[in-house]
Each structure stands twice: as C-alpha cells, then as structure tokens.
Amino acid sequence: MKLLKKLSVLAPLLVAPAIILLSCNPSPKDKTMSGAIPVLNDPHSFAKPELAVAEHLDLDIKVDFEHQQVSGRASWKISNKAKGKEIIFDNSGLNISKITLGGRGEGSGSEEQETTFTVDKDVKYLGTGLHVAIAPATKQVNIYYSSGKDAGALQWLNPQQTAGKKHPYLFTQSESIAARSWIPCQDSPGIRFTYNAKVSVPKELLALMSAENPQKKNTTGVYEFKQVHPIPSYLLALAVGDIAFKAVDSRTGVYAEPSAMNKSIYEFADMGKMVDAAEKLYGPYRWGRYDLLILPPSFPFGGMENPNLNFITPTIIAGDRSLVSIICHELAHSWSGNLVTNASWNDFWLNEGFTNYFERRIDETLYGKEEAEIQEEFGKQALEAAIKDMGADNKDTRLKADFTGRSADEGTNDIAYEKGYFFLRTIEAIVGRAKFDPFLRSWFDSHAFQSVSTEQFVAFLNESLIKGDAALEKKIGIKDWIYGTGVPANVVYPKNLWSKDGKFTKIEALAAGFYKNKLDTSALKQEVATSNEKRFFISRLKSPLSLAQMAFLDKEFKFTASNNTDIQLAWYTLAIKYGYTTADQRIKDYLIENGRMWHIIPLYKEMMNTPEGLKKAKEIYKEARPNYHPMTYKAIDELLK
Ligand code: BES
Ligand code: ZN
C-alpha cells in the first residue's frame, strides 16, 4: 500500500483536500489475531488497535483565549502490534502542522523525525481517520496540531457568561466522540491509555483535568497533570477559568468560581459520605481524590463523570440539596463506566444502566428507601415515555444497540439508562441482594480498568450467577432483556409507595381530584411538600388543565418561580402545552441561562407543537444560542431548522 515512503518529509496540511486512503492492509476484519488485542468492534472510531495501538499520551498544549484555540503537541507512546506501516487516529477538524516519530524520552540521542500522514474523507458524525506512516519499530508518534473552528468538545465562554463576570472560561465535553476535536487520539471507549499533560493558560486562570489536580493557582500559568490509570478517550477533560478549591474532607472537595463556592460547598456537603457508602457497596474507590468541578450554567449535561474530577452543572444547586442524586450518579461511574467501561457506544447501557442502579443504591444508603423508590419511579416514568415515543417494537429499544452509520449520541436515551436499570433491578429482585451484591462487586473487580462488551457481561452473568440453573435462567430472561425490544413482562417496578395508603397512591388521588368542588388545600399542601413530591404530583396531573387550574396550582405551590430544575422542566412543559403564558418570562430566562441539553430540548420540542410556539422558540433561541455549548446548539439547530 501507498502509505508513502517512510519518514519522508513534507507532511501535507490537514486542511488540504482529503485523500481517500485505499488501504490494501490485510486487516483481519473478523478474526482475532492470536495473543493480540481483539479487533475493535466500534463503528464510531477509525482506529485499528489490533494493528497499532496508542498506550500513553504526553500532552503539551497552550490554551489561547484570544484565538479560541488549543494548540501544541500530542505525543503518543504506541505499540505497533502488527509491525505494519501505519497507525490510525481519529480526528475532527484538527489542523495538523506536522507529525514526527521518535524522540521525547525514547532514549538518549534519539531525534524526532518527520513522517507523512494522510487524512480520509470526512464521514458524517465521525470526522476523519488520520493515518500516520510508521516503521515496525516505532514507539513514539508526535502530532503537532491546533483545534479547529467549531471544535465539538470545546466551549469558550466570555467573562459575561461566567459567575464572576471578569475572566473567560474554557471547558471540554468529550463524551461520546468529541475528544477527537481537541486531541488527536484513538477515540474509542474500547481503547485505554494513561496520560501526562502540561497545559499553559493565562496567568490569572487555573487549569484542571480528569487527573491529579492542583488546588490553587501558581504564578507561571503552567500546570502539570498525571492520570496514572488507563482511561478511554471520552474521559479526557480540561477546564480553565478563575477557579478556587475548598475541601469537604480529606479526599473530597469542590472546585468552583469563587463567587459560586459557598453555595456549592453547602449543596454538596455529603459527597464524602457518598464515596464511603459507594465503597461499602461495591469495593474501593480506586482513583485517589474525588472532587467536583461546578461549571458555568452552559455546561451541556447535569454531570459528567470525568475521573478524579466530575463536572457538574450549577443548575442543580437548588439551595436545599434536593438534586444531589446526580452526584451519586456521577460518583457511581467511578466504578461503572470509568473502571469498567462500555467497549463501544452500542454497549452504552453497561455504563448508564449500571450507574443508575448503583446511584439508587447510594441514594438508599444515605437518604433511605423511600427516596430511592421515588427516584426509581421517575425512572419508570421516563422508560415508559421512551417506549411510547419510540414504539415497543423499535429495534433501538434493545439494550444491545446498533448505531452503526448514526450518531453515537442517538443511544443516549432512557433505554440505556432506565431499561438498563430495570434489568439489573429485576435480577436483584429474583436472586436477592445477598447474591446480587457480591456478583456486581466481582464484575467490577474482575474487569477493573478494562473495556467490556454486552456479550462479555452476558457470559459473566451465566458463569457467575446463573451457573447452569435453567429455571433461574428462564426467570431472568437475559435474551429478552438484551436482544428483545420493549420491556419484558418480568420487570420489577416500584410498589411500596403504591400500596393502599402509600405516598404515590395518595398524591395520585390528589392530582386526579384537586380541582373538584371541595378543595382540601391543607391535605394538598401536606402531602405535596418536598421537591420530589411536587415533581411526582405534576407528573400525575390529568390533562388537559385549564388556565384557572394552572393558576390555582401556581398560587399554591409557586411552581413557576421554582429553583428546582426538575420541577421547572415538568411545570414549564405543562405551561407551554396549556398556554399558561404567566410562565413565559421565566421559561425564557431559564432557556437563556441554562444550557443543560436534556433539560432544555424537551421545552423547545414542546413549543414546536404550535405555530405560535415555534415562533417563540425561534425568538428565544436566537438570544440563547450564543450561550450554548456546540453540542447543545448543534442539536437545537437541527431541531429548529
Ligand atoms: N455520562 C453521562 C453524560 C453523557 C452521556 C454525556 C452521553 C455525553 C454522552 C452522565 O453520567 C449522565 O448520565 N448525566 C446525566 C445525569 C443524570 C442521569 C443523573 C445528566 O446529565 O442529566
Ligand atoms: Zn451517567
């Protein structure tokens, strides 16, 4: 094959017209090479780690706010398994100025030598494969690059978009496949590597990564990081801003902008206890420190499980700690996801279903069975809504998904999260916690720092729990859950709070009858008091509601003015649906201020149901778009186009 004479000079610029590589590589597509890494089965990466794999990253970058660019060098220690002539990385819009081989600590006297590379044609959703010419003995590949315009992972905030209003801010969001837009890498969750990084930032700012972190600013603006555990690329993360640190206990703490510190520390005061509870459930926390970074409100998710430093939206700071289960969730990923990782995005339920299960167990330990069951009930509602929306026979309702040719993010739905959760919950109910907990613990222990497929989990379940017990196998019905559509009939849903005078039953009755002639407002106030109860109450209201009924509820409960994002989402959805315009201004403010994708897209969608709504949506979006992360605005551009 024509991958250029070894080490020839003059690498073409990435921006030059792409060359389609017609590889005549004897790539063993469907068989595993003996003693080697199995062939990567990931439709969202161009990498072929079975041939040549990147095992350690040495990153040296500069963060340039003026040009909104990350630039520098990504040096990869590689293992050229097949002793072939190329290694393939993933790339999305990077400007690559040159690539060299060798040098950099590979032994004294070894000099870097420039090599050649080609870039494939751009593939929708994926970006391009970056093919670098190497020699059989190559151990080090140095890629000199800068991030492109519109890099999918990067959000550059101007001072006005931060809490402090004085300094700019940068943060990354790499999951699912956006790491390739800020670092050239083999961007598959099936490939793991360790990393060191040196990051230069403006002197008045602090840099943090998904690694061991500094706790305060230095005078040079140069920060060094080390991630000693092998991680997949989607866990590469960086944040740069005017950020302070405050400890919660000896191994946990909070990073936030100084003006947001006090309320953050108050809200997340339980984080140390959460780690203790998690360890008691499923074994030691293996990453060293556990800290949170509270981001500006444009952060596109509720939370992101970046190792050592979970990224958290400030919009869950309700002031009363009512939304902290998100912390339990991101923490749980330190086991399910970061320690044992889905091998491809088709196995995403292994990350999120397991994490939802673990999250609710931590919730239960800290806040009791009732709290956990309420969360579970919301999960059930979300699952039922997803199935209704997608159709019970839709292939995408299988746990083992297939998103080949589609965006990896299409799988980030409540099938992975909640069908995944209820699968585990159902097994738990069938075998009992005395068996299920050691089983889960041994799953984590025996696959620590590995990437695993759904098939590996099925094999493990058979070997370690079912052990040939045909009756048990039938009771669980693995195949129906994993390869079947919809929700199997043996699903175990919450029932305690649905008993005759259980909380759900009572609130449901109130929701069904609150506007009947004789209003017992005191019963209403008493039964519907906590944030969860209010959210549940809203979810059980029978449609349609009149404006008078909406106004009545608003007067009783102050829903429009709520600071709880879950209540806001639920209430604003109704307000849009029933034309309750009293909430318009609050909805607008919420959409402009808050960039949390899964909490704003449903509102845009609801508005789109009527022509006037669509008009409003477009007006609001015009103002809100500059505040959103690329992931968020790309999704909403698509929606409103
Ligand atoms: N890892 C996810 C966020 C994510 C998923 C980012 C897919 C990109 C692609 C994170 O752990 C998560 O699930 N966040 C949720 C939290 C919730 C389920 C408690 C969120 O952001 O709402
Ligand atoms: Zn998650």
Side-chain angles (χ1 to χ4, degrees):
M1 88 168 166
K2 277 258 90 40
L3 232 198
L4 321 164
K5 288 141 252 166
K6 263 183 290 170
L7 313 188
S8 79
V9 259
L10 258 194
L13 272 182
L14 186 87
V15 284
I19 301 160
I20 306 168
L21 240 182
L22 287 175
S23 163
C24 53
N25 210 316
S27 133
K29 254 264 165 250
D30 42 25
K31 55 180 197 275
T32 302
M33 297 192 315
S34 59
I37 299 179
V39 173
L40 186 71
N41 188 10
D42 179 351
H44 297 106
S45 171
F46 295 104
K48 291 188 179 153
E50 66 277 15
L51 302 180
V53 63
E55 294 174 332
H56 175 81
L57 167 66
D58 226 310
L59 187 69
D60 187 346
I61 52 173
K62 183 170 163 254
V63 173
D64 178 348
F65 280 93
E66 198 193 327
H67 298 99
Q68 304 206 326
Q69 210 172 45
V70 167
S71 63
R73 172 178 51 77
S75 289
W76 287 99
K77 274 208 180 65
I78 68 158
S79 174
N80 186 356
K81 302 268 173 204
K83 303 276 176 257
K85 293 184 186 154
E86 69 166 1
I87 181 166
I88 310 170
F89 296 93
D90 292 295
N91 162 39
S92 170
L94 301 171
N95 310 301
I96 298 182
S97 53
K98 69 170 178 181
I99 302 183
T100 66
L101 304 181
R104 317 220 70 86
E106 220 179 70
S108 52
S110 139
E111 295 244 318
E112 283 182 44
Q113 282 186 290
E114 195 154 347
T115 187
T116 55
F117 61 92
T118 54
V119 177
D120 290 341
K121 201 171 77 176
D122 190 77
V123 179
K124 191 160 181 209
Y125 306 120
L126 303 185
T128 58
L130 165 63
H131 299 247
V132 180
I134 56 173
T138 301
K139 293 209 169 61
Q140 178 100 14
V141 176
N142 313 296
I143 306 173
Y144 293 80
Y145 75 100
S146 61
S147 58
K149 255 196 162 86
D150 252 358
L154 304 177
Q155 189 176 12
W156 302 88
L157 297 174
N158 61 43
Q160 216 41 45
Q161 294 167 305
T162 66
K165 315 273 180 227
K166 282 209 195 81
H167 298 280
Y169 201 110
L170 165 70
F171 67 86
T172 64
Q173 168 59 40
S174 296
E175 192 182 15
S176 305
I177 58 165
R180 63 190 69 174
S181 74
W182 70 288
I183 299 176
C185 59
Q186 293 190 316
D187 198 7
S188 167
I191 303 173
R192 316 177 78 90
F193 54 88
T194 50
Y195 78 82
N196 292 344
K198 191 170 124 192
V199 181
S200 305
V201 303
K203 284 201 178 72
E204 61 284 4
L205 304 182
L206 178 68
L208 300 168
M209 290 191 81
S210 49
E212 287 169 27
N213 274 304
Q215 294 187 340
K216 55 174 187 287
K217 289 178 202 164
N218 61 32
T219 52
T220 62
V222 179
Y223 296 92
E224 300 206 14
F225 304 89
K226 209 159 58 178
Q227 178 51 265
V228 296
H229 299 293
I231 59 158
S233 53
Y234 76 91
L235 297 176
L236 283 166
L238 169 69
V240 180
D242 180 19
I243 302 170
F245 173 78
K246 209 163 176 176
V248 167
D249 63 19
S250 61
R251 70 166 155 179
T252 69
V254 172
Y255 290 90
E257 287 186 68
S259 67
M261 182 55 91
N262 284 344
K263 53 182 196 232
S264 302
I265 276 282
Y266 173 82
E267 203 76 11
F268 305 122
D270 278 349
M271 63 182 293
K273 284 186 222 149
M274 290 175 187
V275 189
D276 298 341
E279 287 189 307
K280 285 214 182 78
L281 283 163
Y282 300 121
Y285 177 79
R286 304 189 195 220
W287 301 86
R289 288 198 58 84
Y290 177 70
D291 294 314
L292 302 180
L293 170 64
I294 313 307
L295 286 117
S298 64
F299 185 64
F301 291 96
M304 176 64 213
E305 64 268 28
N306 298 131
N308 293 92
L309 183 68
N310 289 175
F311 283 22
I312 303 294
T313 173
T315 63
I316 62 163
I317 302 178
D320 59 2
R321 302 180 179 167
S322 54
L323 296 170
V324 297
S325 65
I326 290 204
I327 310 299
C328 302
H329 179 98
E330 302 314 331
L331 167 66
H333 273 305
S334 305
W335 288 257
S336 43
N338 301 2
L339 187 63
V340 182
T341 308
N342 53 207
S344 81
W345 301 113
N346 288 337
D347 304 292
F348 186 56
W349 78 277
L350 290 178
N351 272 19
E352 299 299 343
F354 275 64
T355 296
N356 263 4
Y357 179 81
F358 196 168
E359 168 198 339
R360 289 173 188 153
R361 293 295 302 275
I362 302 172
D363 267 339
E364 181 186 317
T365 312
L366 257 67
Y367 308 111
K369 276 196 186 307
E370 186 172 299
E371 169 66 25
E373 194 174 324
I374 294 175
Q375 297 298 340
E376 200 186 8
E377 180 69 21
F378 291 135
K380 177 192 167 196
Q381 290 181 359
L383 178 56
E384 286 179 337
I387 299 275
K388 189 165 165 231
D389 189 44
M390 299 165 80
D393 54 359
N394 186 325
K395 285 185 176 163
D396 291 344
T397 64
R398 300 170 181 177
L399 284 180
K400 175 75 191 198
D402 185 4
F403 291 99
T404 308
R406 291 187 279 165
S407 160
D409 293 327
E410 271 199 45
T412 59
N413 56 33
D414 281 307
I415 300 304
Y417 282 83
E418 301 299 352
K419 185 177 173 184
Y421 166 79
F422 281 107
F423 179 35
L424 298 181
R425 170 72 185 97
T426 300
I427 305 175
E428 180 216 286
I430 291 169
V431 303
R433 283 185 179 176
K435 278 201 183 139
F436 191 65
D437 283 350
F439 162 76
L440 263 196
R441 163 116 201 221
S442 74
W443 167 249
F444 293 133
D445 285 346
S446 59
H447 297 84
F449 299 111
Q450 293 174 31
S451 299
V452 289
S453 65
T454 300
E455 291 67 29
Q456 277 170 284
F457 176 68
V458 171
F460 187 79
L461 187 60
N462 278 315
E463 278 156 32
S464 313
L465 200 72
I466 295 178
K467 297 179 183 156
D469 180 339
L472 178 58
E473 190 184 353
K474 197 157 167 241
K475 248 185 169 171
I476 295 177
I478 306 178
K479 279 214 182 85
D480 290 344
W481 276 96
I482 292 185
Y483 301 106
T485 59
V487 181
N490 69 344
V491 62
V492 172
Y493 280 141
K495 58 173 188 294
N496 295 327
L497 300 179
W498 279 117
S499 65
K500 199 165 147 281
D501 51 15
K503 185 191 281 287
F504 294 152
T505 315
K506 277 194 202 157
I507 297 179
E508 173 146 271
L510 287 167
F514 82 93
Y515 47 83
K516 298 256 171 67
N517 289 343
K518 284 238 167 71
L519 257 178
D520 182 357
T521 40
S522 72
L524 200 57
K525 275 255 167 70
Q526 196 184 328
E527 300 295 340
V528 185
T530 67
S531 304
N532 278 335
E533 288 161 359
K534 289 177 190 165
R535 183 178 162 199
F536 180 74
F537 174 76
I538 295 172
S539 77
R540 307 309 290 188
L541 289 168
K542 302 277 176 283
S543 53
L545 292 172
S546 70
L547 292 178
Q549 289 162 347
M550 291 291 288
F552 167 80
L553 290 174
D554 211 6
K555 190 169 141 268
E556 288 299 310
F557 293 110
K558 309 272 176 295
F559 285 143
T560 299
S562 171
N563 278 325
N564 180 297
T565 52
D566 285 338
I567 291 177
Q568 287 174 286
L569 173 59
W571 178 251
Y572 297 163
T573 306
L574 294 189
I576 296 166
K577 200 167 175 178
Y578 302 131
Y580 180 62
T581 51
T582 312
D584 275 11
Q585 188 57 44
R586 280 284 290 174
I587 294 173
K588 183 175 173 189
D589 294 346
Y590 173 91
L591 290 172
I592 288 173
E593 167 79 354
N594 180 352
R596 188 178 167 191
M597 261 161 95
W598 302 339
H599 268 57
I600 59 177
I601 289 177
L603 294 180
Y604 281 109
K605 281 192 176 155
E606 191 64 54
M607 286 195 257
M608 287 168 63
N609 287 335
T610 64
E612 320 83 75
L614 179 63
K615 200 170 148 244
K616 263 189 212 167
K618 286 188 168 161
E619 272 163 28
I620 296 175
Y621 185 49
K622 218 169 152 190
E623 246 178 274
R625 192 179 185 278
N627 286 342
Y628 293 160
H629 185 278
M631 260 173 214
T632 313
Y633 70 67
K634 281 176 191 169
I636 303 177
D637 284 352
E638 193 62 27
L639 196 69
L640 290 177
K641 77 173 180 231

